[in-house]
Amino acid sequence: MYSLYWVLFIGIAVISWIVSARMQSKFKKYSQIPMPNGMTGRDVAEKMLRENGITDVRVISVAGQLTDHYNPVNKTVNLSEPVYASNSIAAAAVAAHECGHAVQHATAYGPLKMRSALVPVVSFSSNIVQWVLLGGMLMLKAFPQLLLIGIVLFAVTTLFSFITLPVEINASRRALAWLKTAGITNYQTDGMAKDALRSAAYTYVVAALGSLATLLYYIMIFLGGRRN
């Protein structure tokens, strides 16, 4: 049983590496293809927010690469420097995707509300879960409840990973639909934007599956300890 798990775990790790490398390759490729209208990531983001009637969200630049995100707390669309100032296909797709989250927030999209509600719990769990799991495995015979607590904490992070999937996929769908209807992308560039966002979505799928596989591993250890 454990050998089967390690085959699964290694398989997911390899797939994760392939998906991550493929995503970076796609973004590098589409970052070199300029938008026909010359709009930067900032321009695209501000236009999408404006056309969706969102006036209380700011678009700002943040350091790093692939650090783009929407912050519902201070209502900011944070675009990495290569996206913020670039007029590439990749920049337009990423900017629209992050604005898709802002639209979700403005329309009270259910899965986003669930994910936001879990953030404090996940933040707390992430800080202690590895130590609880380690202690639980070391003290499995004497105090099996500790490992069970660690499993529950880890299960919360796994649940968070799976709730993230519909949030990210929906944001991409909103982005692609708006890019097309607003005339930002055309028949030549629409497929490129879709390809870029699809590659990013795969990373979330693999991360969720990896988290689930790890959770099952800890459950197997707990059940094995109980039987012995």
Side-chain angles (χ1 to χ4, degrees), residues 7-227:
V7 170
L8 176 64
F9 186 82
I10 293 171
I12 291 176
V14 171
I15 292 173
S16 177
W17 181 83
I18 294 173
V19 168
S20 179
R22 182 176 174 81
M23 180 195 71
Q24 293 185 34
S25 174
K26 292 282 187 182
F27 273 86
K28 183 177 180 180
K29 173 183 176 181
Y30 296 129
S31 292
Q32 297 171 352
I33 302 177
M35 290 290 293
N37 55 22
M39 293 180 70
T40 64
R42 176 188 175 182
D43 296 332
V44 171
E46 291 179 340
K47 181 177 176 63
M48 183 171 175
L49 292 173
R50 186 169 58 250
E51 293 191 358
N52 279 275
I54 300 174
T55 59
D56 58 347
V57 173
R58 294 181 300 120
V59 180
I60 62 176
S61 177
V62 293
Q65 190 172 11
L66 299 178
T67 52
D68 312 88
H69 65 282
Y70 169 67
N71 188 333
V73 177
N74 60 11
K75 291 190 174 182
T76 56
V77 171
N78 300 264
L79 301 180
S80 60
E81 293 170 349
V83 170
Y84 185 86
S86 172
N87 66 341
S88 66
I89 300 295
V94 171
H97 172 88
E98 298 308 331
C99 287
H101 289 309
V103 176
Q104 290 174 337
H105 189 200
T107 57
Y109 179 61
L112 180 65
K113 291 175 66 177
M114 291 175 61
R115 188 176 74 168
S116 297
L118 280 174
V119 166
V121 181
V122 171
S123 179
F124 170 78
S125 299
S126 299
N127 288 331
I128 66 170
V129 65
Q130 295 302 330
W131 296 107
V132 175
L133 288 169
L134 178 60
M137 288 187 288
L138 293 174
M139 301 175 63
L140 185 56
K141 297 294 184 181
F143 186 30
Q145 293 84 359
L146 184 59
L147 180 57
L148 184 59
I149 292 171
I151 289 172
V152 172
L153 291 173
F154 195 87
V156 173
T157 64
T158 301
L159 176 62
F160 186 83
S161 295
F162 277 91
I163 292 177
T164 294
L165 293 180
V167 173
E168 295 298 331
I169 292 171
N170 179 265
S172 289
R173 286 176 178 170
R174 291 173 188 264
L176 292 170
W178 178 82
L179 287 169
K180 191 171 183 178
T181 57
I184 306 299
T185 56
N186 54 32
Y187 70 97
Q188 291 179 317
T189 57
D190 184 60
M192 299 177 189
K194 185 180 297 183
D195 191 30
L197 292 183
R198 185 189 299 119
S199 298
Y202 288 152
T203 64
Y204 291 101
V205 174
V206 173
L209 292 176
S211 183
L212 178 61
T214 304
L215 176 63
L216 293 175
Y217 173 68
Y218 289 125
I219 292 174
M220 286 165 51
I221 292 176
F222 177 76
L223 294 177
R226 290 289 298 273
R227 283 196 297 266

